Amino acid sequence: MELIQNTPDLSAYLAADEVIDHHHPLVRETAARLADGADDSYDYARRAFDFVRDTIPHSADTGDPRVTWRASDVIEQRTGICYAKSHALAALLRAEDIPTALCYQKFEAVHGLVAVRFNGAWHRLDPRGGEAGSRARFSLTGEGLAFTPDAEADEVDYPTLYAAPHPDVVQALKAAPDWPYLSRTLPTELP
């Protein structure tokens, strides 16, 4: 599948915003800790991926009712759904000047992941983790995503690489007082 940037400006994939708040002290501190001893940017990216996948539980797996959406809150509270975990990973990668996009898949609900740019190419990564996402692994030579869409079941890999989280995703997260509410209001497709 050909991945398509929603903006040709690569610097947009390094930007901070309200959601991907990589200038936040906690994000910077976490990034510095992960970078300490890393061999290079690939090693750092793998460490950041493993950190988000393995130390921030997916709230649907744990039953945690809290809804996080801002990267710094995800890291601080150590919980989030796929979108939130993707926001945290994007912030950690951008904090170390690694271009990172948000991307999505469509199943019963829209699933969030990231893409990183190395050696002139985009590589999708899925930091979901947990039992349902146990296949998710860090790879720049092939995809190690948690889920593979089934076209016959009307499941989709969206090709668009967003510089900022999709507004429908952010709106759903911000509007949800808790996980049970969010589980009923997750976007089921993207325009």
Side-chain angles (χ1 to χ4, degrees):
M1 174 180 70
E2 181 181 350
L3 300 173
I4 304 162
Q5 293 178 206
N6 77 327
T7 177
D9 181 7
L10 197 57
S11 69
Y13 296 93
L14 292 168
D17 60 26
E18 179 187 27
V19 178
I20 311 298
D21 60 341
H22 65 76
H23 295 305
H24 188 280
L26 180 58
V27 176
R28 302 299 304 172
E29 174 187 306
T30 304
R33 189 174 67 252
L34 293 168
D36 186 37
D39 296 332
D40 53 26
S41 60
Y42 298 102
D43 188 32
Y44 171 79
R46 182 192 48 77
R47 288 172 179 223
F49 174 85
D50 289 347
F51 171 79
V52 173
R53 182 193 62 193
D54 299 341
T55 70
I56 300 174
H58 192 286
S59 54
D61 294 341
T62 62
D64 191 326
R66 297 175 293 167
V67 175
T68 54
W69 53 270
R70 182 179 290 117
S72 58
D73 293 338
V74 176
I75 293 168
E76 178 185 31
Q77 296 180 38
R78 298 289 170 110
T79 190
I81 65 166
C82 59
Y83 310 133
K85 291 180 65 143
S86 293
H87 300 164
L89 180 57
L92 290 170
L93 294 170
R94 289 181 183 187
E96 291 294 315
D97 296 321
I98 298 171
T100 307
L102 288 301
C103 46
Y104 303 92
Q105 297 174 309
K106 176 188 176 284
F107 298 100
E108 288 181 24
V110 173
H111 175 60
L113 41 141
V114 303
V116 295
R117 189 165 178 90
F118 280 110
N119 298 327
W122 288 101
H123 307 274
R124 293 189 309 166
L125 302 171
D126 188 347
R128 187 210 188 280
E131 188 175 323
S134 61
R135 295 184 325 162
R137 61 181 171 74
F138 181 85
S139 177
L140 300 179
T141 59
E143 293 188 326
L145 305 181
F147 308 108
T148 303
D150 178 357
E152 291 181 16
D154 198 29
E155 297 174 347
V156 176
D157 267 320
Y158 290 112
T160 304
L161 300 173
Y162 295 92
H166 195 283
D168 292 358
V169 167
V170 175
Q171 180 181 346
L173 291 169
K174 284 182 167 183
D178 56 31
W179 165 244
Y181 180 91
L182 180 61
S183 70
R184 296 187 306 271
T185 60
L186 289 169
T188 55
E189 64 183 344
L190 297 178

